[in-house]
Amino acid sequence: FPVTIFLFETSYKCKLKISLSEFFQIGPKQRVRAYTGASILNSDNKVRLVVSLTARERTSLEPLVDQMKQAGILPASTECPEWAKEREFFRGLCSDYLCKRAKPSEPIFLRVRESILRPPTEVGPLLAITTGAGIAPVMAYIDECEKKGGALWFRSFYIIFGCQSSDKDFLYRDKILKLQEEGKVRCWFSFSREGPKKIYVQDIVKETRDI
């Protein structure tokens, strides 16, 4: 079906009609979304992802349409469409699909490539500073340490993790706290929406610089 594209300039107005296929050819291409795996890709060909779904409210475009009508950019008879008036929530394209619409056992097309992050190849200190869904590669490292020899590989494993709330977006909370209780990792946490003062990972880094 035909698609109407309006081109607005200060000196002229024009309307160009093109086909939908032509529109897709000149339109911007959808970029591939990249996720860091929360597990090392093994022979079983399985990968674990950490997907954080965030959303924010959209402001109504009605005032903007009114301004454009007053400036003569849009015809006076133009009405703001209903979808532009609603205060919808804007969500990530792939994150929203994975968290809300994808069904178990439903095939999803992925392109797996080697990460620039490398798991430790020998026993030694490991410091991970991360926030939110960035905990993914840390969990992959933890899996690798557990496979390679447990306590020996966990020696000098430090984690600084930050999120908004300890009871809402503290990902892998039980797993990390258990490892800390077992003495395998040493952790510091920052929760920016709890307490009278906002605490972020950079604050923890400053406080623990001697360590």
Side-chain angles (χ1 to χ4, degrees):
F1 56 91
V3 176
T4 301
I5 298 179
F6 291 92
L7 305 176
F8 298 104
E9 297 291 346
T10 55
S11 58
Y12 68 92
K13 301 176 184 178
C14 66
K15 184 168 66 174
L16 174 67
K17 286 191 175 182
I18 62 176
S19 68
L20 184 60
S21 62
E22 291 170 330
F23 172 74
F24 283 141
Q25 290 178 32
I26 65 175
K29 303 300 186 294
Q30 197 63 254
R31 296 182 62 185
V32 174
R33 263 56 171 184
Y35 294 86
T36 301
S39 59
I40 305 296
L41 187 61
N42 298 315
S43 57
D44 58 3
N45 228 22
K46 293 182 180 179
V47 63
R48 186 170 67 240
L49 298 179
V50 179
V51 182
S52 178
L53 180 62
T54 58
R56 59 181 173 83
E57 289 188 3
R58 284 176 171 170
T59 56
S60 173
L61 295 181
E62 200 166 9
L64 179 61
V65 172
D66 291 338
Q67 291 179 11
M68 295 176 72
K69 287 163 62 176
Q70 294 174 6
I73 299 175
L74 290 176
S77 59
T78 302
E79 295 185 1
C80 183
E82 291 300 322
W83 61 264
K85 297 179 182 178
E86 299 175 355
R87 295 179 59 82
E88 298 176 340
F89 280 95
F90 174 77
R91 298 184 175 90
L93 181 63
C94 289
S95 299
D96 182 66
Y97 172 74
L98 292 173
C99 293
K100 297 290 186 180
R101 293 179 282 119
K103 299 177 181 179
S105 301
E106 179 181 355
I108 297 176
F109 294 96
L110 300 174
R111 184 180 67 184
V112 181
R113 65 179 185 181
E114 189 174 3
S115 175
I116 61 173
L117 301 173
R118 295 283 186 267
T121 56
E122 58 184 23
V123 177
L126 178 62
L127 170 63
I129 304 174
T130 179
T131 60
I135 195 69
V138 180
M139 302 311 299
Y141 291 169
I142 287 175
D143 282 351
E144 192 72 0
C145 286
E146 289 179 330
K147 294 173 183 176
K148 285 185 174 180
L152 182 63
W153 279 87
F154 276 115
R155 187 175 63 183
S156 302
F157 198 145
Y158 303 101
I159 299 176
I160 298 177
F161 175 74
C163 60
Q164 293 186 357
S165 174
S166 60
D167 59 351
K168 290 184 179 179
D169 53 350
F170 190 171
L171 304 175
Y172 292 99
R173 174 192 176 111
D174 295 340
K175 173 77 172 179
I176 294 174
L177 293 180
K178 182 180 179 182
L179 289 170
Q180 184 174 232
E181 291 175 1
E182 295 173 349
K184 293 182 177 180
V185 298
R186 190 172 179 183
C187 304
W188 293 265
F189 307 109
S190 65
F191 306 110
S192 61
R193 297 296 184 269
E194 291 185 2
K197 181 182 178 181
K198 293 184 177 181
I199 305 292
Y200 298 98
V201 291
Q202 57 263 35
D203 299 317
I204 304 297
V205 171
K206 292 179 181 178
E207 293 174 3
T208 59
R209 63 176 65 190
D210 294 337
I211 300 176

